[in-house]
Amino acid sequence: MDGTSPPDADASANKAGHVAVEDAVSTKVQKAAAPLYVSRIKVHPKDVKGLYRRIKWAVLALCLAVYYLAPFLRWDRGPTAPDQAILIDLPGRKAYFFMIEIWPQEVYFLTGLLILAAITLFLVTSLFGRLWCGYACPQTVWTDLFMWVERKIEGDRNARIKLDAAPYTAEKIVKRTLKHAAWIGIALATGGAWILYFDDAPTVVRDVFTGNATLTQYFFIGMFTATTYTLAGWAREQVCTYMCPWPRFQGAMLDDQSYVVTYEDWRGEKRGKLAKAAPGVDPWAGRGDCVDCNSCVAVCPTGIDIRDGQQLECIGCGLCIDACDAVMDKVGRPRGLIRFDTLANQACRAKGEPATHKFVRPRTLIYAGVLAFVGAVMLVALLSRATVELNVLRDRAPLFVTLSDGNIRNAYTIHVLNKTHAPRDFTLAVSGLQGAVLGVAGSDVAAAPVVTLAAKPDSVATYRVFVTVPSQSVRGKASSPVRFDLKPREGRGHADYDSVFLAPGR
Amino acid sequence: MPTKIEKDEITGTETTGHEWDGIKELNTPLPKWWLWTFYATIIWSIGYFIVYPAWPTLSGNTKGMLGWTQRIEIAQRLEEAKTARAPFVGRIEKASLDQIRSSPDLLNFAMAGGRSVFAENCVPCHGAGGSGAKGYPNLADDSWVWGGALDDIHTTIAYGIRNANTQSRVSQMPRFGADGVLNAKQIDDVAEYVLSLSKRSTNADAVKRGETVFSENCVACHQEGGVGSTDLGAPNLAANIWIYGGDKATIVESVRNSRAGSMPAWTGRLDDATIKMLAVYVHALGGGK
Ligand code: SF4
Ligand code: SF4
């Protein structure tokens, strides 16, 4: 080591590590030198310590904890409904999310939820850049976890590069086998946890381990294990750069007031190795703060050089900030040569002006406004969600029946949706037809203006109902509008349905 | 075939040696993974040939190793369905029609079973939903030639009408015109009277004359006022429901040549439980009494 080489970015890094960091070249530069079609250049991100790395570990732990523990949360809904807080009950055709219960005809709640999530993503991105990508995206979280395992088994960046180049010795085989076994183990746990959201979680866990789970469950475990293993183990940053649509339109969410990971080129350039200066001469005179140590490139999980400016591949994870800050500490220059900042601030700083930042801008206002609006609509819809619903299907054959006393009768199939957890009796009445009386098929109840229909808890009750009308009420009208009104015997709620009543038209 | 291997200058790849208008095709082999997938499917298909029935032979086809055919599978499925239904069918066999109707789960089963059997056997004549057609009674209305109580409907389905079954329902309307019992004038008058029963007559004098003809010839079966008799299978002429049509020409035709629709007996074709389910279903179509 002579004095011309830059101080080690990482105090714990060994000699070999140091050399390799120097050699780190972003994938972009490597590719630029190659012909049109090049296969993937493997990225070997170096370990790094610092603020953003710590935040990243914390978010990772939180995400994983939520993912694995959420299915075990209980939520009491009474004896007729499952008590799992988050559950997608496919056979029962219902979805539960704490106090929210979604029936198939209410999937628009799901749409609303997705819209909310999308707009939140827009808002956060326009304020703070790709926080989602760098910290919370499952692809990032699991890739990070897989890289940690890889680092533990195969060593840090340089050891891995060496191992990659080395021939297959017993040691390499052992390490590789260990690594893939650990990966598959994590993938299995990931895939296994996925199905917990679709059935009673404790039962599923027991069934899976005792071999009593269904073939479908094992299939999905297998499928999610395979996808986790390939995506987090092999595909990694390629998912972000080639498969994920999000980077492609994030540019539309960002403007020069958004916080992004930036390199202060006005301060860093002209970069170069720190030369040993004569005593009394400032080694920093006439040059930038960047000592061209390439630490920022070596730690980047997507293999890019942030000093090239804003790039599609940058997921905004901030690891390069940690790496550079460590270098700046070493060489005694101020931190933040790479930092979270807005492009507008950077322009100001470059000119030596005080930085100003605007959180409130037309775009953030619009996103926040839309977010509040959709949220309010969802809330109102949820709060006013009916616990009873009515569906009416007119019989097609016969269209109508003329009875011996000349009265006209139509038959309807009535579906009563009782969304409460208790059995309920409902009254059904029709309006719009003079003298209409109702009767229920299969029951001996005489025709009456109002009939009672019972429905079991959480279920759809089906009845065939006859509506009989004196012929003079529909004389000359082939079709008359009719409205069905359904009310629970006790409690609030109400549902109606508009249908038609057909008659001979004579 | 090209005599010597030729390499493309720019890419360094071999060409196939074929040339069209000076353009040569590069010899780019299929990717290995594609080829291996293809070979794997071939091997897979050979396994298929052996395991499943596949090849035609002179006397049939190869049987495969598992002895599996779709026919056997269907038969198994049908058998399973039958076993699953057996407890219900057994209960329906034992229960009376009224018991079926008053037990919700039996009723449910009977309605579902009845619906499918009706669709298979009865719809061609009586129409979907029992809507009826000319000559075939509407089963959803409340007018019944042979009675609309559960037992009546059951008997009608089981033994049919005017067929060779010894218990078949039988009645015969005379051919008043064809056999010369009434003359054309009398038939016209009696038709006018029948029309008047549903308040559609336009000729009061003819009605008066027709009433006499009716009381002398028709009352025995169609009863006083034409209300009909389900015991005799004589339709109600006073209700505005007609099997063959209610206009005067149709009524004249009915009186002149008589009508005698027939329905097969379903005992022997359908088992007892099925006939019971059918009866319950038809009763619930809307007209049951
Ligand atoms: S350039 Fe920096 S912030 Fe962007 S992905 Fe690489 S390490 Fe993360
Ligand atoms: S930006 Fe920082 S980490 Fe990157 S090469 Fe320059 S001094 Fe090293």
Side-chain angles (χ1 to χ4, degrees):
Chain A
M1 293 267 128
D2 60 5
T4 56
S5 80
D8 200 330
D10 186 339
S12 66
N14 57 21
K15 214 170 175 189
H18 186 178
V19 173
V21 168
E22 266 181 13
D23 292 342
V25 177
S26 72
T27 49
K28 191 176 245 168
V29 173
Q30 293 178 59
K31 278 185 186 170
L36 204 51
Y37 297 105
V38 277
S39 47
R40 174 196 179 208
I41 294 151
K42 207 167 167 202
V43 182
H44 294 279
K46 191 175 148 46
D47 197 11
V48 62
K49 292 187 175 56
L51 175 66
Y52 294 101
R53 182 64 265 186
R54 279 202 299 280
I55 297 175
K56 217 158 136 58
W57 283 135
V59 176
L60 181 144
L62 182 75
C63 289
L64 289 181
V66 168
Y67 177 65
Y68 285 107
L69 297 182
F72 293 96
L73 294 179
R74 300 289 109 179
W75 190 269
D76 187 23
R77 297 186 181 88
T80 56
D83 67 346
Q84 187 154 321
I86 303 170
L87 177 69
I88 299 165
D89 180 6
L90 288 179
R93 302 214 158 50
K94 263 162 240 160
Y96 302 90
F97 189 80
F98 296 94
M99 64 286 204
I100 303 173
E101 235 167 85
I102 296 177
W103 284 46
Q105 45 280 94
E106 299 170 321
V107 276
Y108 50 79
F109 279 121
L110 203 67
T111 315
L113 221 62
L114 291 176
I115 294 176
L116 274 188
I119 300 170
T120 311
L121 199 55
F122 294 174
L123 180 64
V124 168
T125 303
S126 71
L127 288 175
F128 305 112
R130 296 176 68 184
L131 279 194
W132 165 261
C133 296
Y135 293 86
C137 170
Q139 173 64 21
T140 290
V141 168
W142 264 276
T143 301
D144 226 14
L145 189 65
F146 273 46
M147 283 178 178
W148 177 80
V149 168
E150 190 172 59
R151 204 170 281 136
K152 285 283 166 253
I153 294 171
E154 295 185 348
D156 205 3
R157 175 181 162 86
N158 309 302
R160 291 207 302 277
I161 293 176
K162 255 197 224 145
L163 192 70
D164 252 8
Y168 269 92
T169 59
E171 193 202 351
K172 180 165 173 174
I173 292 171
V174 167
K175 279 187 175 168
R176 282 281 144 97
T177 318
L178 253 176
K179 176 177 88 172
H180 288 287
W183 279 0
I184 288 172
I186 298 174
L188 255 174
T190 309
W194 185 259
I195 64 165
L196 299 182
Y197 288 88
F198 294 83
D199 243 313
D200 182 60
T203 320
V204 174
V205 173
R206 192 171 346 108
D207 286 352
V208 166
F209 284 109
T210 53
N212 288 326
T214 64
L215 211 60
T216 320
Q217 287 175 319
Y218 286 119
F219 171 78
F220 277 101
I221 292 180
M223 197 169 96
F224 290 114
T225 303
T227 47
T228 309
Y229 173 72
T230 28
L231 292 183
W234 293 89
R236 297 194 169 176
E237 83 286 351
Q238 299 176 95
V239 174
C240 310
T241 36
Y242 303 120
M243 291 163 69
C244 179
W246 178 227
R248 260 142 276 275
F249 57 89
Q250 61 149 336
M253 268 91 246
L254 295 165
D255 57 20
D256 63 353
Q257 298 288 346
S258 312
Y259 273 88
V260 288
V261 177
T262 45
Y263 164 69
E264 299 190 319
D265 52 0
W266 52 272
R267 155 151 102 101
E269 304 298 313
K270 180 175 177 210
R271 68 180 89 143
K273 306 265 183 247
L274 192 57
K276 198 178 199 171
V281 178
D282 183 4
W284 296 98
R287 54 157 296 148
D289 283 356
C290 174
V291 295
D292 209 8
C293 64
N294 276 332
S295 290
C296 50
V297 180
V299 300
C300 178
T302 65
I304 56 164
D305 187 345
I306 188 66
R307 295 172 299 172
D308 293 343
Q310 296 296 304
Q311 289 155 74
L312 171 107
E313 291 91 340
C314 176
I315 56 171
C317 65
L319 294 184
C320 50
I321 304 181
D322 283 341
C324 189
D325 279 351
V327 175
M328 289 298 112
D329 288 353
K330 272 260 143 61
V331 302
R333 302 301 287 181
R335 285 178 158 219
L337 179 57
I338 303 177
R339 61 160 74 210
F340 260 118
D341 204 355
T342 70
L343 295 181
N345 277 353
Q346 278 300 310
C348 291
R349 281 187 223 271
K351 282 185 260 160
E353 292 164 12
T356 55
H357 178 253
K358 283 189 289 202
F359 269 124
V360 182
R361 331 192 278 278
R363 98 171 39 229
T364 54
L365 279 180
I366 291 171
Y367 290 144
V370 176
L371 193 65
F373 175 74
V374 177
V377 169
M378 288 269 292
L379 200 68
V380 169
L382 267 178
L383 291 180
S384 59
R385 177 180 176 274
T387 54
V388 49
E389 214 172 290
L390 173 68
N391 282 316
V392 176
L393 271 169
R394 247 192 56 82
D395 267 18
R396 295 285 191 278
L399 288 173
F400 57 83
V401 172
T402 309
L403 298 179
S404 45
D405 54 8
N407 290 352
I408 311 295
R409 194 180 65 200
N410 280 199
Y412 301 84
T413 302
I414 306 266
H415 296 291
V416 177
L417 279 69
N418 176 17
K419 296 183 191 170
T420 59
H421 302 308
R424 284 204 289 178
D425 281 346
F426 296 89
T427 56
L428 181 75
V430 286
S431 54
L433 292 170
Q434 194 104 57
V437 285
L438 300 170
V440 181
S443 93
D444 285 325
V445 179
V450 171
V451 289
T452 302
L453 307 175
K456 295 199 183 98
D458 292 306
S459 56
V460 184
T462 302
Y463 291 94
R464 204 159 157 263
V465 167
F466 299 115
V467 177
T468 309
V469 170
S471 57
Q472 60 268 22
S473 293
V474 288
R475 179 151 300 143
K477 282 185 284 187
S479 168
S480 326
V482 56
R483 165 170 291 189
F484 288 86
D485 289 293
L486 186 77
K487 286 195 189 78
R489 269 279 184 72
E490 278 134 35
R492 35 175 225 101
H494 161 87
D496 52 33
Y497 196 99
D498 289 320
S499 184
V500 290
F501 186 94
L502 299 189
R506 283 184 266 113
Chain B
M1 280 299 286
T3 45
K4 68 176 174 61
I5 303 292
E6 192 185 358
K7 282 211 171 170
D8 177 60
E9 270 174 31
I10 297 162
T11 57
T13 314
E14 281 173 24
T15 69
T16 56
H18 309 153
E19 185 178 333
W20 294 270
D21 295 340
I23 298 172
K24 284 180 186 161
E25 187 185 22
L26 295 186
N27 184 9
T28 314
L30 286 168
K32 281 278 179 305
W33 65 265
W34 195 99
L35 271 183
W36 285 113
T37 314
F38 179 59
Y39 295 146
T41 55
I42 293 175
I43 294 167
W44 179 261
S45 68
I46 293 172
Y48 232 89
F49 290 152
I50 298 168
V51 173
Y52 292 106
W55 297 105
T57 60
L58 285 178
S59 57
N61 57 282
T62 55
K63 296 282 175 273
M65 276 164 51
L66 302 176
W68 179 94
T69 71
Q70 285 183 334
R71 277 165 203 275
I72 294 176
E73 191 165 302
I74 280 278
Q76 273 172 358
R77 295 261 171 93
L78 286 178
E79 205 49 52
E80 279 166 23
K82 221 169 164 185
T83 330
R85 289 171 57 219
F88 272 108
V89 174
R91 278 171 66 196
I92 286 200
E93 267 165 7
K94 284 195 212 85
S96 74
L97 291 167
D98 277 322
Q99 281 166 344
I100 296 173
R101 235 168 75 77
S102 53
S103 142
D105 60 336
L106 280 188
L107 175 66
N108 205 2
F109 186 81
M111 289 295 285
R115 181 179 301 117
S116 72
V117 179
F118 188 87
E120 228 172 278
N121 299 284
C122 317
V123 161
C125 294
H126 289 287
S131 55
K134 187 171 161 41
Y136 303 98
N138 181 330
L139 304 177
D141 67 22
D142 61 344
S143 174
W144 296 88
V145 179
W146 293 98
L150 265 176
D151 283 327
D152 295 333
I153 296 173
H154 185 260
T155 309
T156 304
I157 297 172
Y159 306 116
I161 292 162
R162 295 184 197 98
N163 59 40
N165 189 291
T166 50
Q167 296 181 67
S168 158
R169 298 199 185 269
V170 198
S171 67
Q172 185 62 57
M173 169 158 163
R175 305 195 299 164
F176 289 102
D179 291 345
V181 182
L182 298 175
N183 63 31
K185 177 100 180 27
Q186 288 171 310
I187 292 176
D188 195 75
D189 289 345
V190 85
E192 201 62 42
Y193 172 73
V194 167
L195 278 180
S196 78
L197 294 175
S198 45
K199 302 187 183 58
R200 293 178 297 138
S201 164
T202 48
N203 186 337
D205 292 343
V207 170
K208 258 213 130 57
R209 292 194 298 275
E211 184 168 8
T212 318
V213 180
F214 191 85
S215 63
E216 282 166 5
N217 297 282
C218 317
V219 156
C221 294
H222 288 287
Q223 310 292 309
E224 206 67 59
V227 295
S229 161
T230 52
D231 293 336
L232 302 169
N236 181 349
L237 305 175
N240 203 352
I241 292 174
W242 304 91
I243 301 173
Y244 291 91
D247 58 303
K248 190 165 169 191
T250 310
I251 296 173
V252 166
E253 163 70 18
S254 296
V255 178
R256 187 185 292 141
N257 290 328
S258 154
R259 303 278 189 188
S262 87
M263 164 166 155
W266 291 94
T267 30
R269 303 201 205 187
L270 301 175
D271 60 45
D272 287 353
T274 308
I275 292 179
K276 279 181 172 173
M277 292 196 283
L278 253 183
V280 171
Y281 173 73
V282 169
H283 186 267
L285 280 175
K289 299 213 159 152

